[in-house]
Amino acid sequence: MAVSCIEADRKLTIKITGELDHHHARQVMGELDRQIEAALPRELVLDLSGLSFTDSSGIAVLIRAYRRMGQMGGRVIVSQAPAQAEKVFRAAGLHKLMPFE
């Protein structure tokens, strides 16, 4: 599991690669919190193009990011989610909370 970040013009892009499961979700949530606090973005893009697997723990990560950005008046965009991950997130109704590109 790896998390990398790029910030520019109050837009924070976080790329998550590897498996997002119960073993890694807490680490990813902590890194998201740190990066959001440091950048104070208006827009958070979660680039999931390198995600190889997710389970319900990935849902918790996206909801946490959504709530945190909502507290700040910002928004979350999910980008390039692989088919397996998108299926999990859509089954949970996350596409109703945040756009998937």
Side-chain angles (χ1 to χ4, degrees):
M1 172 57 54
V3 177
S4 58
C5 305
I6 300 171
E7 191 270 326
D9 299 323
R10 306 234 21 221
K11 178 180 178 179
L12 177 62
T13 301
I14 298 181
K15 183 171 185 173
I16 302 171
T17 58
E19 294 187 4
L20 184 54
D21 56 17
H22 71 279
H23 294 293
H24 301 104
R26 189 172 304 256
Q27 171 191 352
V28 172
M29 285 185 204
E31 188 61 27
L32 283 172
D33 288 344
R34 282 189 289 282
Q35 294 297 327
I36 290 169
E37 287 300 316
L40 299 174
R42 287 276 182 221
E43 184 173 271
L44 172 63
V45 177
L46 296 175
D47 179 350
L48 304 181
S49 61
L51 198 64
S52 58
F53 172 81
T54 193
D55 58 15
S56 60
S57 301
I59 296 168
V61 169
L62 267 62
I63 289 174
R64 184 176 179 130
Y66 173 79
R67 287 183 179 158
R68 183 65 187 112
M69 289 301 295
Q71 292 171 344
M72 298 172 49
R75 69 183 197 137
V76 175
I77 298 170
V78 179
S79 174
Q80 302 182 56
Q84 184 271 332
E86 189 162 352
K87 185 175 179 179
V88 169
F89 298 145
R90 284 193 179 272
L94 294 183
H95 63 287
K96 296 175 185 175
L97 299 177
M98 59 195 85
F100 280 68
E101 299 177 345

